[in-house]
Amino acid sequence: MNPIVVPALHSSTHKPNATTAAQDLRFPPTPPTSTSELSSLKIRLHNSLRQFPDFPSPGILFEDILPIFADAHLHQDLIRALELHVQDHYGGAERPDVIVGLEARGFLFGPSLALRLGAGFVPVRKQGKLPGPTETAGYDKEYGTDFFQIQVDGIKPGQKVLIVDDIIATGGSAAAAGSLVRKLGGTLLGYVFILELDFLQGRQKLDAGASTLLSSQ
């Protein structure tokens, strides 16, 4: 009987680089899904909001998103809904490398969304809150000017960036965050908000596309 010769198995010397590894992380947890799942999630989330009339000023109907974070299932629904929303609007070659969250409520869900998408998270904060070298951009408020800052090494040139916040009102703070992304050489894909006060026409101040997860006032 002739001996059976088994070829030696050679281990591959190829190692994925950091970019490939990061790409492999993006959108890993969930397969493509139907529109019906996102619609159901939106209904549950919207029904959980609390409304406070004439807050913070007369004529404003304030919609409180905090009950979402007080319930673990709703919190999970929010991150899943945002994941689907981003996949729908920024899939394929437009997938974000970095999620930028605005102080303060963008911090509530921005890091979790970034983790789900396999992206980094970078905060934009009020002036004087971040250590080290920063870039600064101002924006007008009702009674003066305020300033946002971002750490200069937070975004690398050419990285694709998505800015998130809980609500867009006048659009000034979001526009300032967008200018900071561009100062650092990032490619601004757009803005994602949970809610919008569309009668204030804040989108007109933005230099990239904006989308809202839940229905606007």
Side-chain angles (χ1 to χ4, degrees):
M1 179 185 300
N2 293 327
I4 299 175
V5 178
V6 179
L9 298 177
H10 299 283
S11 60
S12 172
T13 58
H14 173 71
K15 295 181 180 180
N17 58 37
T19 301
T20 303
Q23 289 173 343
D24 290 342
L25 283 172
R26 296 177 190 168
F27 308 141
T30 48
T33 185
S34 65
T35 306
S36 61
E37 182 187 0
L38 182 55
S39 298
S40 297
L41 290 169
K42 288 181 177 181
I43 292 170
R44 288 204 295 274
L45 292 168
H46 199 278
N47 288 341
S48 73
L49 302 177
R50 293 185 300 186
Q51 296 184 334
F52 295 92
D54 299 321
F55 182 85
S57 58
I60 300 294
L61 180 62
F62 184 86
E63 294 195 88
D64 185 13
I65 67 170
L66 293 182
I68 293 174
F69 299 96
D71 184 294
H73 295 293
L74 288 171
H75 191 173
Q76 208 167 40
D77 286 346
L78 174 65
I79 302 305
R80 173 61 173 159
L82 286 167
E83 177 193 11
L84 295 175
H85 183 85
V86 172
Q87 286 180 355
D88 187 42
H89 288 76
Y90 304 100
E94 293 302 299
R95 294 181 298 185
D97 301 305
V98 178
I99 300 295
V100 164
L102 276 58
E103 186 173 344
R105 294 192 176 188
F107 299 170
L108 290 175
F109 59 92
S112 298
L113 176 61
L115 187 62
R116 184 68 66 90
L117 299 176
F121 176 79
V122 175
V124 164
R125 300 207 63 187
K126 296 290 183 66
Q127 189 174 35
K129 299 290 187 179
L130 290 171
T134 57
E135 282 284 359
T136 303
Y139 60 96
D140 293 331
K141 299 183 70 175
E142 186 177 359
Y143 299 108
T145 302
D146 211 341
F147 297 91
F148 263 163
Q149 290 184 321
I150 191 171
Q151 291 176 315
V152 296
D153 58 353
I155 296 170
K156 306 297 186 295
Q159 284 189 310
K160 297 184 288 294
V161 179
L162 190 62
I163 294 174
V164 301
D165 201 8
D166 65 325
I167 192 167
I168 176 172
T170 62
S173 59
S179 71
L180 290 174
V181 169
R182 296 190 188 280
K183 281 183 180 182
L184 297 186
T187 300
L188 181 57
L189 296 178
Y191 303 80
V192 172
F193 305 96
I194 297 176
L195 296 165
E196 179 176 7
L197 302 178
D198 53 7
F199 63 90
L200 294 175
Q201 300 181 333
R203 291 184 186 226
Q204 294 184 5
K205 293 184 180 178
L206 306 181
D207 58 355
S211 60
T212 305
L213 179 66
L214 304 181
S215 57
S216 306
Q217 290 185 29

